[in-house]
Amino acid sequence: MKKLILLLLFIPLVSLGQNDFRKMFFGESEEILKEKYPDVEFFPAAGSGFLTQWTEFPIVLEIEAQVFFMFKDDKFVGGMYAFSPMAAHSRDERLKEFNNVSERLNASCELQREDVWYKDYTDSEKNKPDWLDLAVEWGEVQLVERGKNEDDITIIHILDKKHHTLAYMTKEGLKVLDNTADDAL
């Protein structure tokens, strides 16, 4: 019985100690970001208008990356890794990096794979060895994984000809992105 009580007391402490994205909790301010990373020089990312974005340039899972912290009304609503396409020296390395990130993600939450093909290939063509990395390089497919973690944060992992990104978004962050996309149409 004592073990059960200790376990029940310990679980909330562990949950409170977890961060949502790189030391940040969703809902925290830009000022808190700067306090948590005092030695990092942050600067606004260009071209958003609807979100204030701050970025840093670390190595993530042994891949060069740019990290975006997205804020709406001074609340942290999303984070994104933009893995450097130039870091992988060959198309099969890019696919291996995507699969490595995918394995780590799927170890903690289940993502659904929803590849988007831009040409009409048969299933047997799509499943040929060494075909997928070539199709990505030619821009004929976008590899997409989506899911939610235990905190209802949406996770989106994408590899295409020009990008390899991994994003964590709150419902509020997704809503802002959806509204912005609707306004652009």
Side-chain angles (χ1 to χ4, degrees):
M1 185 65 171
K2 287 182 182 180
K3 288 181 183 179
L4 179 60
I5 292 171
L6 286 174
L7 181 62
L8 291 174
L9 291 173
F10 180 70
I11 290 172
L13 293 175
V14 171
S15 297
L16 290 173
Q18 300 294 321
N19 295 310
D20 293 321
F21 183 83
R22 297 190 66 85
K23 299 184 187 178
M24 289 292 290
F25 292 99
F26 289 109
E28 290 183 324
S29 69
E30 292 178 43
E31 190 61 36
I32 291 173
L33 172 68
K34 293 175 187 176
E35 289 172 8
K36 289 184 178 185
Y37 289 96
D39 298 330
V40 175
E41 181 180 353
F42 292 98
F43 36 99
S48 77
F50 58 91
L51 295 172
T52 302
Q53 299 180 353
W54 297 87
T55 185
E56 61 168 329
F57 302 92
I59 301 295
V60 178
L61 299 176
E62 300 179 15
I63 308 169
E64 292 177 29
Q66 187 172 15
V67 178
F68 293 87
F69 296 90
M70 299 175 224
F71 294 87
K72 168 76 167 97
D73 299 329
D74 200 33
K75 289 183 182 176
F76 179 52
V77 296
M80 183 179 78
Y81 297 102
F83 297 105
S84 173
M86 302 312 289
H89 302 290
S90 67
R91 67 178 186 257
D92 63 322
E93 286 179 13
R94 289 185 69 214
L95 188 57
K96 284 177 188 174
E97 288 175 353
F98 178 84
N99 289 332
N100 181 33
V101 172
S102 177
E103 282 178 34
R104 289 179 183 236
L105 288 170
N106 281 289
S108 61
C109 61
E110 188 173 324
L111 302 180
Q112 300 298 315
R113 181 85 175 254
E114 307 165 10
D115 296 346
V116 178
W117 287 86
Y118 299 110
K119 289 198 173 188
D120 192 23
Y121 291 102
T122 66
D123 287 338
S124 63
E125 289 173 317
K126 292 176 186 177
N127 294 322
K128 286 182 183 176
D130 299 326
W131 173 246
L132 191 56
D133 58 351
L134 190 59
V136 170
E137 183 177 287
W138 289 348
E140 296 177 359
V141 64
Q142 181 183 56
L143 309 183
V144 180
E145 293 182 304
R146 297 175 197 265
K148 290 187 179 196
N149 68 11
E150 64 278 357
D151 296 323
D152 205 32
I153 302 299
T154 299
I155 300 169
I156 305 168
H157 184 210
I158 299 173
L159 176 67
D160 62 25
K161 182 177 182 173
K162 296 181 181 178
H163 307 97
H164 179 192
T165 58
L166 171 59
Y168 294 81
M169 299 294 292
T170 63
K171 288 179 184 177
E172 182 181 15
L174 287 171
K175 189 176 180 182
V176 171
L177 291 176
D178 286 344
N179 290 342
T180 304
D182 290 344
D183 291 345
L185 297 175

